[in-house]
Amino acid sequence: MRRLFSPVARITLALVLCAYALKILPDGQAEALAHRKRTVEALTVQLSAGGLLERVDGAIAVLDAVVERNSDIRSAALRDADGNIIVESGDHEAFWQKTPDGRSTPEFVRAPIYAGGAEVAALEVRFEPLPSPWALSFDHGGVTALLLFVTLGGALGYFLVLRRSLRALDPSAVIPERVKLAMDALVEGVIIMDEREQILLANRAFGRHLDVPVEQLIGKRASALNWRSAETGGSVPELPWVAAMAKLAPVTDGMLELRAADNAIRTFAVNATPVADPSGRLRGALASFNDITELHQRNAELQRTLTQLEESRQVVEKHNAELHYLATRDPLTGCLNRRALFEAFGRVFETARAKGDALCCAMIDIDHFKEVNDRFGHGTGDRVIAFVAETIRRNVADADIVGRYGGEEYCVVFVSRRVDEAVAILDRVRTAVARGADASFTRRLKLTVRCGITPLLADDMSTDTLLGRADAALYSATAAGRDRVVCWSPAMSADAATTGRQPQASEVADARVAVREPGVETGVYRVLATGIAGPFRERITQTLALAARYGWTTALLRIELETAGALAPRAQKEMFERISGLLRRSDILALLLGDHAAEPDVEGLPSTSPLGPSELGVLLPDVSDVRAIGRAVQRIVKTIGEPLIVDGQETLVACAIGISVAPIDGGDVETLMHRAEQARRVVLAGRGGERYAFYQRSMTETLLSTMRVENGLRRALEHGEFNLLYQPQVELATGRVRGLEALLRWTDAAGVSIGPQQFVPVAESSGLIVPIGDWVLQQVCLQAREWQNASVVQRVAVNISAVQITSHGFADRVAAILRSTQVDPRLIELEITETAFMSDLGTAATTLRQLRQLGLHISLDDFGTGYSSLSYLKQLPIDSLKIDARFVKDLHETREGIALVAAIVGMAHGLGIRVIAEGVETATVLSVLRELGCDEAQGYMISPPLPAREAFALAGAGFAVAMPAGPAPQTAVAAAG
């Protein structure tokens, strides 16, 4: 049977009853009755003994005094034997009630008075009703005794009950010692709690996890330990053990975090199981805690690394997409450029021939476009070209191919369309151009287009055939009055020859067909002659005559291909084919071969470079403006810069292009040829790092200045005007100097300091860099041997020009210098740039391996600024690479910059290559480089270039850079004594 009272209530009730039984609580009612009895008896005696019964006045006075002095007496009276009131005090008749049996009560007390054995009178006293027995007891001091008794007895009773309860709750009383020992042996933390989450038992592993003694955990609520979600870091909606007790089912794989007493945040994998008694009633839960803090941290670090890699991949993909777009799109119209157009056309052409699908090729040209430029300006002309291109794209299908063929001419390839469907689309384009021009331009500008189209025929073997027929149809549209769509027919070729229309620039290209070498691919024009490229000059003369007659602007390009080694001829041929694919049919491309005599320049400068196997000539007739020439040249430069695969080897070709424009720069072939050559010389001198230049009148003075520098270099080498400075390179892990880079400086006889950016390009273009470089290497080896003898062993890096690497017998000269100076080769590091091997990777790799066999270290300088390729790093014997200062200067300002440097460092370390950063100028950049894992660094923040004596003192004194520890470090440079 369920108990109605708690143990505390039962103990208190028992103590009160015990106090009452032991008379500890006084009987107030009995005492009150005894007091009233004594009062009445005393009054009766006073009235009888004093003779007051005979004296009424005296009796009244006594009664009044008694009633007034006793608050519990309402009235009093003397009544005779007959029942009549003799005297009274108070309204006795109203207060008095006679009992049926005549006996007294606690309120009505009657005392008879006897004389001679007979009752002569009676004293009657009316009292107030008696209070409750408990109130009477309290009024008589019983509460104090009761409280004292209950307090002392309760303390004893409660102590006995609590000791019994604690004995029942003590886990040690119910869990055997061997079970506790087994739980303490577990690596996982384990707690047992009741249904109110109060911890009854915790093993020592759980206490260690929380850095709290186990005894302090007993009795606490498990949910009061400030648990957090390991996934979100916020509060936990439902703790695992609470869920287990609510569901009466185990809960596994919960992830919780808790800040321990040492402020360390620990992560736990939690499993909880409910605990029930034999009757199935829930009694609590058991929870286990597996400390996975270290694993969680590693997973978080791995996730951060993966996130960074993903960001780097996205950046690379974004850049690749941008580069691909720039490489395949015309910048003005967004259409495919010529190269991408031909590639896409070739793919759909082969598919259509193989499957027998329909295919149509159309040429679209803007009518009277030259008048648009002349009347409204070239800006409006560019807008017109872009407007027509957009109109074409809106009217064709996504599967169709739209490309800018050249100038104001477009090519459209209709995929899987019959010729009648394609003609209908072209007619819509023609109408949309005419109508849309009124809304987009001034009404004075009347804009129309003409279109020529041809379908794919069964005997067509190349895309050139379709392009030729589409061109013929376009010319027929021109002869027929423009603003129309014409479909090709076999009679058009003959008709075009007799229409008497105005010659177009593209007609100059007909000369190419007449002089093609048998077996040479379509569109390739070669001049096979000795002397000064006579046939090419003749074509230039003919084009200039047409240009003067019809007002064309014509551009002449002289392109020098910088190649070397056994692969040079193959590379030149491949490059010739690439450039041919970029040009219009009206353009002329010549591979200039043969022996060439020297002849004086127009301005009286030394003779021009001969037109040899490494030079191409390009003539661009009837170009719209100089910007169009620049765009065409940029496409040529980009195409030349793309890697070549020759005999399974990747090689690179650089170029220098000089441009002259007729009639601005001259009207005859000799002037244009010489001025294009002057522009090309400026490019070869390395002005601004550009690969092409337009002729300017100031170039004559520039070339004369270059000659003065060249003469000064010859004199400087003879008179000892060169000197070397050394810039320290520090190891980022320790801050210690690990090497020096030798830097060449020139102060001429007049005491004027000339910067390397001024004289090094001239030295390279003149070939003087070879003897100068040999002198630098010898001086560095002598200096390194001197430091070696003084027990200051430092690696010294020397910059080696591409001209030196490709010069005859370079490896043998280096070996001779090492022998003569007797320096340890391991102290010398040769720094080369990518241009040293881009033209002939195989030859460069052979030379570098010979240098490595001498014991020298090889470093790749200015990595990332040229044609950086993983294949070079794999094939060349490189010990270290240097990240160019342009990537380092503002490294911390963009996520893309950090991602790029991190990718370079990770790639190099994966190949076992050391990484050095140049141009470090701030402590923040130094800190970021260290965090990214870069091995070494140099720059003005560390130390400027120093003379040999100061550099020796710095290295010998134990120079070190105090490496910053945080993201915003403070740097200090110290010398350890």
Side-chain angles (χ1 to χ4, degrees):
M1 182 176 179
R2 189 171 184 180
R3 295 174 179 174
L4 297 178
F5 301 101
S6 66
V8 174
R10 293 199 300 271
I11 291 173
T12 304
L13 181 61
L15 288 173
V16 173
L17 294 177
C18 182
Y20 185 79
L22 296 175
K23 302 297 183 178
I24 295 175
L25 185 64
D27 192 351
Q29 192 171 26
E31 291 183 1
L33 291 174
H35 174 69
R36 291 183 178 187
K37 183 180 180 181
R38 287 193 299 271
T39 300
V40 173
E41 288 177 352
L43 182 59
T44 302
V45 172
Q46 184 177 0
L47 291 173
S48 300
L52 296 177
L53 294 176
E54 289 81 11
R55 291 187 292 117
V56 175
D57 293 337
I60 291 174
V62 171
L63 292 179
D64 287 340
V66 171
V67 172
E68 290 176 0
R69 294 175 183 174
N70 291 276
S71 59
D72 59 343
I73 297 178
R74 290 186 178 183
S75 65
L78 279 176
R79 193 182 296 272
D80 60 17
D82 296 329
N84 298 316
I85 294 177
I86 302 174
V87 293
E88 65 177 346
S89 177
D91 192 3
H92 186 71
E93 193 66 39
F95 291 134
W96 181 260
Q97 292 181 7
K98 186 177 180 180
T99 59
D101 56 359
R103 300 185 65 178
S104 296
T105 66
E107 297 179 21
F108 304 95
V109 180
R110 182 177 181 278
I113 300 174
Y114 293 95
E119 181 178 340
V120 295
L123 176 63
E124 298 177 349
V125 180
R126 171 69 163 91
F127 289 93
E128 293 285 348
L130 286 175
S132 66
W134 291 101
L136 291 172
S137 298
F138 291 157
D139 290 341
H140 290 78
V143 66
T144 303
L146 176 64
L147 290 176
L148 181 61
F149 177 77
V150 170
T151 300
L152 296 177
L156 178 61
Y158 297 155
F159 171 74
L160 295 175
V161 170
L162 288 175
R163 188 173 69 173
R164 180 179 178 186
S165 299
L166 291 174
R167 185 184 303 115
L169 292 175
D170 185 7
S172 61
V174 296
I175 299 178
E177 188 66 24
R178 63 179 181 275
V179 176
K180 291 180 58 181
L181 292 175
M183 291 181 64
D184 288 339
L186 296 176
V187 177
E188 293 182 333
V190 178
I191 61 172
I192 299 176
M193 66 192 80
D194 62 13
E195 64 272 20
R196 294 185 298 274
E197 298 184 63
Q198 290 182 339
I199 298 175
L200 304 178
L201 183 64
N203 69 345
R204 298 195 181 280
F206 188 74
R208 285 195 303 270
H209 293 334
L210 273 61
D211 197 27
V212 174
V214 173
E215 293 76 12
Q216 295 183 14
L217 297 172
I218 303 301
K220 288 188 176 181
R221 295 184 74 243
S223 60
L225 296 178
N226 295 324
W227 299 99
R228 297 186 306 178
S229 170
E231 287 81 6
T232 65
S235 59
V236 185
E238 188 176 39
L239 293 168
W241 50 88
V242 175
M245 289 191 288
K247 300 175 183 177
L248 293 178
V251 175
T252 59
D253 298 328
M255 298 292 292
L256 298 178
E257 282 185 353
L258 182 66
R259 185 179 295 276
D262 59 357
N263 285 327
I265 297 178
R266 299 188 179 278
T267 306
F268 299 96
V270 183
N271 298 318
T273 302
V275 177
D277 58 19
S279 64
R281 180 184 174 191
L282 179 69
R283 305 300 295 175
L286 182 147
S288 63
F289 300 82
N290 185 15
D291 188 354
I292 58 171
T293 303
E294 185 176 356
L295 178 61
H296 188 71
Q297 292 173 347
R298 290 182 178 177
N299 287 341
E301 183 177 355
L302 178 60
Q303 186 60 43
R304 287 193 297 270
T305 302
L306 292 175
T307 301
Q308 292 176 353
L309 290 175
E310 177 62 20
E311 291 176 351
S312 300
R313 184 188 64 80
Q314 292 175 0
V315 170
V316 172
E317 287 183 352
K318 177 183 177 181
H319 289 172
N320 287 342
E322 293 174 351
L323 291 174
H324 181 265
Y325 184 87
L326 293 174
T328 59
R329 299 286 173 170
D330 174 68
L332 178 60
T333 63
C335 300
L336 295 177
N337 58 26
R338 284 175 62 95
R339 179 178 181 180
L341 170 67
F342 292 152
E343 290 178 354
F345 192 5
R347 289 193 297 269
V348 298
F349 176 81
E350 295 298 335
T351 301
R353 287 188 63 226
K355 296 183 178 180
D357 295 340
L359 188 73
C360 296
C361 175
M363 301 296 292
I364 304 175
D365 203 354
I366 302 175
D367 293 332
H368 307 293
F369 182 72
K370 189 175 185 303
E371 294 182 9
V372 174
N373 276 337
D374 293 342
R375 292 181 60 193
F376 301 100
H378 294 295
T380 301
D382 287 348
R383 290 173 52 207
V384 166
I385 291 174
F387 165 74
V388 173
E390 180 60 26
T391 304
I392 295 172
R393 284 199 297 266
R394 284 200 307 264
N395 285 274
V396 301
D398 292 339
D400 299 333
I401 300 170
V402 179
R404 186 180 180 191
Y405 199 74
E408 67 277 10
E409 192 173 3
Y410 310 86
C411 177
V412 181
V413 180
F414 294 96
V415 180
S416 300
R417 288 189 185 276
R418 300 188 310 273
V419 68
D420 57 333
E421 296 174 332
V423 168
I425 294 173
L426 291 175
D427 201 49
R428 289 200 303 268
V429 170
R430 183 183 60 80
T431 304
V433 168
R435 293 177 178 176
D438 293 339
S440 301
F441 306 97
T442 177
R443 291 186 177 180
R444 293 181 299 146
L445 195 161
K446 300 302 180 182
L447 188 61
T448 59
V449 295
R450 58 189 182 275
C451 311
I453 185 171
T454 182
L456 175 65
L457 303 180
D459 57 347
D460 289 339
M461 301 304 294
S462 70
T463 57
D464 286 342
T465 306
L466 274 79
L467 289 171
R469 292 205 304 268
D471 266 342
L474 184 65
Y475 297 150
S476 294
T478 304
R482 308 175 187 261
D483 189 19
R484 64 194 62 233
V485 178
V486 174
C487 187
W488 178 85
S489 67
M492 284 185 178
S493 299
D495 292 343
T498 60
T499 56
R501 68 184 184 279
Q502 174 178 310
Q504 300 294 312
S506 56
E507 292 179 81
V508 180
D510 295 341
R512 286 190 278 180
V513 180
V515 296
R516 281 186 191 139
E517 178 186 11
V520 176
E521 294 84 351
T522 302
V524 177
Y525 172 61
R526 298 177 184 235
V527 179
L528 301 176
T530 59
I532 307 298
F536 182 54
R537 289 173 178 264
E538 290 175 5
R539 292 303 174 193
I540 298 176
T541 301
Q542 295 172 7
T543 303
L544 291 177
L546 289 173
R549 180 177 179 183
Y550 297 108
W552 296 345
T553 297
T554 303
L556 173 64
L557 281 59
R558 295 187 67 168
I559 306 174
E560 180 173 327
L561 302 178
E562 299 177 8
T563 56
L567 299 179
R570 298 283 302 280
Q572 292 168 8
K573 181 178 183 299
E574 173 64 24
M575 202 55 62
F576 181 76
E577 304 297 341
R578 284 189 179 186
I579 296 174
S580 176
L582 293 176
L583 301 178
R584 302 172 299 176
R585 297 185 66 191
S586 59
D587 302 331
I588 300 175
L589 170 65
L591 176 59
L592 303 168
L593 305 175
D595 300 324
H596 311 288
E599 59 184 28
D601 275 347
V602 175
E603 284 81 2
L605 295 173
S607 62
T608 63
S609 298
L611 299 179
S614 62
E615 183 173 357
L616 302 178
V618 176
L619 186 67
L620 305 176
D622 193 15
V623 291
S624 58
D625 55 19
V626 175
R627 286 179 297 176
I629 300 172
R631 290 192 293 268
V633 174
Q634 288 172 357
R635 289 194 293 269
I636 292 174
V637 171
K638 186 177 184 303
T639 298
I640 293 175
E642 294 174 353
L644 294 172
I645 304 298
V646 180
D647 293 339
Q649 293 190 25
E650 185 179 89
T651 186
L652 292 169
V653 177
C655 67
I657 305 176
I659 310 162
S660 60
V661 180
I664 300 173
D665 299 328
D668 62 275
V669 63
E670 299 300 331
T671 302
L672 292 176
M673 289 288 284
H674 284 294
R675 288 183 172 174
E677 171 63 14
Q678 288 181 4
R680 188 176 65 180
R681 286 191 184 186
V682 172
V683 175
L684 290 173
R687 304 298 183 190
E690 295 291 344
R691 305 313 301 164
Y692 68 92
F694 286 86
Y695 170 78
Q696 300 175 15
R697 295 188 182 277
S698 61
M699 288 181 175
T700 301
E701 177 58 31
T702 300
L703 292 175
L704 292 174
S705 175
T706 299
M707 292 175 59
R708 287 193 290 269
V709 173
E710 180 178 333
N711 293 332
L713 286 172
R714 299 180 189 278
R715 184 179 60 253
L717 191 60
E718 297 172 359
H719 297 166
E721 297 176 3
F722 292 120
N723 67 294
L724 296 176
L725 298 179
Y726 297 87
Q727 186 172 38
Q729 298 172 340
V730 299
E731 185 178 51
L732 294 184
T734 63
R736 297 286 180 181
V737 177
R738 287 294 177 262
L740 301 159
E741 180 180 6
L743 301 173
L744 181 63
R745 297 294 183 263
W746 176 24
T747 303
D748 64 14
V752 178
S753 179
I754 302 173
Q757 69 277 10
Q758 291 180 268
F759 69 80
V760 170
V762 177
E764 290 181 329
S765 62
S766 64
L768 289 174
I769 195 66
V770 174
I772 293 174
D774 291 348
W775 176 86
V776 171
L777 181 59
Q778 184 172 26
Q779 295 302 310
V780 167
C781 290
L782 290 172
Q783 187 64 70
R785 188 193 65 183
E786 180 180 338
W787 289 342
Q788 177 185 349
N789 294 337
S791 300
V792 178
V793 179
Q794 292 292 344
R795 183 187 70 247
V796 185
V798 185
N799 288 285
I800 302 298
S801 167
V803 179
Q804 291 176 263
I805 289 287
T806 57
S807 63
H808 178 70
F810 176 69
D812 295 334
R813 296 200 307 276
V814 172
I817 292 174
L818 294 176
R819 287 193 301 270
S820 64
T821 58
Q822 298 181 353
V823 69
D824 186 349
R826 293 173 298 178
L827 300 180
I828 305 300
E829 184 171 78
L830 303 183
E831 292 187 3
I832 62 173
T833 59
E834 296 167 0
T835 55
F837 50 80
M838 69 180 185
S839 59
D840 191 347
L841 180 61
T843 301
T846 301
T847 301
L848 294 181
R849 291 190 185 95
Q850 293 174 351
L851 297 174
R852 277 288 298 274
Q853 291 174 357
L854 297 175
L856 300 168
H857 289 266
I858 306 298
S859 178
L860 181 59
D861 198 9
D862 298 337
F863 184 79
T865 61
Y867 303 88
S868 308
S869 172
L870 286 176
S871 62
Y872 298 156
L873 300 180
K874 292 171 60 178
Q875 297 181 47
L876 298 175
I878 296 173
D879 299 292
S880 63
L881 63 83
K882 301 184 73 172
I883 303 175
D884 188 71
R886 281 172 284 183
F887 296 102
V888 174
K889 181 180 180 182
D890 301 322
L891 172 64
H892 61 291
E893 295 184 359
T894 62
R895 290 201 311 173
E896 290 82 359
I898 293 177
L900 183 59
V901 172
I904 293 174
V905 172
M907 173 187 62
H909 286 175
L911 296 173
I913 297 174
R914 195 173 75 256
V915 181
I916 305 171
E918 296 182 291
V920 178
E921 297 181 359
T922 66
T924 302
V925 170
L926 189 67
S927 176
V928 173
L929 287 170
R930 186 185 183 191
E931 292 177 3
L932 294 177
C934 185
D935 300 296
E936 298 179 20
Q938 70 182 87
Y940 276 80
M941 182 267 165
I942 298 169
S943 172
L946 303 171
R949 185 181 300 275
E950 295 180 21
F952 173 77
L954 195 68
F959 172 84
V961 174
M963 299 306 299
Q970 300 295 325
T971 59
V973 180

